[in-house]
Amino acid sequence: MSSRSEETEFDERIEALLRAAEHGNPLLPAFEELFDRYRAQQRLLDRLTRISDHFQQAERDRGLNYVDRYQRKVRQIEKIVRISDRYQSMLRELNDRLHLISTRDELTGLPNRRYLLERLDTEISQVARNGGTFSVGLADIDHFKAVNDTRGHAAGDAVLAHTARCIQESIRDYDVCARWGGEEFLILFPQCGVADALRLAERVRHVVEDQTRALGLSPVITLSIGITEFRPSETVDAMLRRADEALYRAKESGRNCTVSADQADRPRAP
């Protein structure tokens, strides 16, 4: 037999002859036993051939000199390092993506409430270590419920996204604005007393109103804003509660104005 296919063809021919009913030869059982022995010997030969191939490969590997074996190991290690680098890069990208998703508001693209709460804790720690102060502004879109009720939630979402862009464009680079919930936005003014925070909040309020008018949107979007400055040793909740009370006063004062919880100033009206 010169090839594997010829061996297979020979086996098939023998098996066909043994299965044929017309061959009632009394020697048939002996032929069947002989063929079974042949098949067993063939399987043994195949196994020995595979063992021989592995042995020859191992001998070739042992025949490599020290430099060849070293370079081969180096290539293997380099391959492992490349795979490890790609794996770690994928993990970092995935972790960054998860962190971004967990700290961003999907609709507006602004940081979310969780992110700003963490920033407030950080700001309080910095003030405790280095001194200084900071302020926050709680802004609420006036008459937002009417937009949802009369024009639908899609229009309400568009108003939220537009307002977020206006606020983001009007604050300083190191200020932080987050969507606090519903139609409320909380703005952190680092290293900023209440007087400066009041001025900055007024700028935000005017930008939102002016850009809405420039785009011809109706109704015109306006904000009411409550401002307060952090007081040493107080909690975040206490500070936010004071900002919320100032916001309530702004609403009660006719909306579209800014009220400070820390100054006796009259509401800043348009």
Side-chain angles (χ1 to χ4, degrees), residues 3 8-9 67 78 110 128 169 222 240:
S3 68
T8 302
E9 183 181 352
V67 174
E78 288 176 344
L110 292 175
E169 291 171 4
T222 60
L240 295 178

Side-chain angles (χ1 to χ4, degrees), residues 110-214:
L110 292 175
N112 60 18
R113 188 187 189 101
R114 170 192 288 182
Y115 177 84
L116 196 47
L117 283 172
E118 292 175 355
R119 277 297 310 269
L120 289 172
D121 287 337
T122 302
E123 205 69 24
I124 290 174
S125 298
Q126 290 180 348
V127 169
R129 282 197 309 272
N130 307 321
T133 187
F134 69 92
S135 298
V136 295
L138 185 59
D140 184 273
I141 301 176
D142 296 327
H143 303 296
F144 181 75
K145 185 175 183 302
V147 175
N148 270 340
D149 290 345
T150 59
R151 302 176 61 181
H153 289 283
D157 289 348
V159 167
L160 287 169
H162 171 75
T163 304
R165 284 194 299 273
C166 291
I167 296 175
Q168 191 66 39
E169 291 171 4
S170 59
I171 59 178
R172 302 171 300 179
D173 291 341
Y174 46 91
D175 294 335
V176 181
C177 177
R179 187 180 178 193
W180 196 241
E183 67 271 29
E184 286 187 342
F185 301 87
L186 186 67
I187 308 171
L188 166 64
F189 301 108
Q191 295 296 317
C192 187
V194 67
D196 289 334
L198 192 60
R199 178 178 53 79
L200 293 169
E202 277 293 279
R203 185 171 73 186
V204 169
R205 187 175 65 79
H206 282 295
V207 167
V208 171
E209 182 177 3
D210 293 346
Q211 290 200 13
T212 304
R213 290 188 187 280

Side-chain angles (χ1 to χ4, degrees), residues 5-205:
S5 61
E6 290 177 338
E7 290 179 3
T8 302
E9 183 181 352
F10 173 74
D11 291 351
E12 290 175 352
R13 286 167 53 199
I14 294 297
E15 289 176 351
L17 288 171
L18 292 174
R19 287 196 305 270
E22 65 270 22
H23 296 291
N25 195 309
L27 294 178
L28 183 60
F31 286 152
E32 288 179 338
E33 181 178 352
L34 181 62
F35 185 63
D36 289 340
R37 291 185 179 183
Y38 157 75
R39 297 291 298 272
Q41 291 295 323
Q42 189 64 39
R43 287 194 293 272
L44 178 61
L45 182 60
D46 290 343
R47 184 180 177 190
L48 290 174
T49 301
R50 288 194 296 273
I51 292 174
S52 175
D53 290 342
H54 287 302
F55 177 77
Q56 290 180 14
Q57 181 62 44
E59 285 299 305
R60 283 195 294 271
D61 291 344
R62 274 195 291 271
L64 295 174
N65 59 36
Y66 175 79
V67 174
D68 291 336
R69 290 200 299 273
Y70 174 78
Q71 291 178 342
R72 181 176 176 179
K73 291 294 182 185
V74 169
R75 289 194 294 273
Q76 290 175 342
I77 292 173
E78 288 176 344
K79 183 177 180 181
I80 293 172
V81 170
R82 287 196 298 273
I83 293 173
S84 176
D85 286 346
R86 285 200 299 270
Y87 180 70
Q88 292 184 31
S89 177
M90 290 170 59
L91 285 179
R92 282 195 297 272
E93 291 176 2
L94 179 61
N95 186 57
D96 291 344
R97 181 63 181 161
L98 289 174
H99 181 263
L100 181 64
I101 291 173
S102 67
T103 57
R104 289 279 163 179
D105 175 64
E106 184 176 358
L107 175 63
T108 64
L110 292 175
N112 60 18
R113 188 187 189 101
R114 170 192 288 182
Y115 177 84
L116 196 47
L117 283 172
E118 292 175 355
R119 277 297 310 269
L120 289 172
D121 287 337
T122 302
E123 205 69 24
I124 290 174
S125 298
Q126 290 180 348
V127 169
R129 282 197 309 272
N130 307 321
T133 187
F134 69 92
S135 298
V136 295
L138 185 59
D140 184 273
I141 301 176
D142 296 327
H143 303 296
F144 181 75
K145 185 175 183 302
V147 175
N148 270 340
D149 290 345
T150 59
R151 302 176 61 181
H153 289 283
D157 289 348
V159 167
L160 287 169
H162 171 75
T163 304
R165 284 194 299 273
C166 291
I167 296 175
Q168 191 66 39
E169 291 171 4
S170 59
I171 59 178
R172 302 171 300 179
D173 291 341
Y174 46 91
D175 294 335
V176 181
C177 177
R179 187 180 178 193
W180 196 241
E183 67 271 29
E184 286 187 342
F185 301 87
L186 186 67
I187 308 171
L188 166 64
F189 301 108
Q191 295 296 317
C192 187
V194 67
D196 289 334
L198 192 60
R199 178 178 53 79
L200 293 169
E202 277 293 279
R203 185 171 73 186
V204 169
R205 187 175 65 79

Side-chain angles (χ1 to χ4, degrees), residues 202 205-206 253 255-258 266-270:
E202 277 293 279
R205 187 175 65 79
H206 282 295
S253 300
R255 296 181 171 84
N256 192 20
C257 61
T258 302
R266 296 174 59 187
R268 301 294 184 90

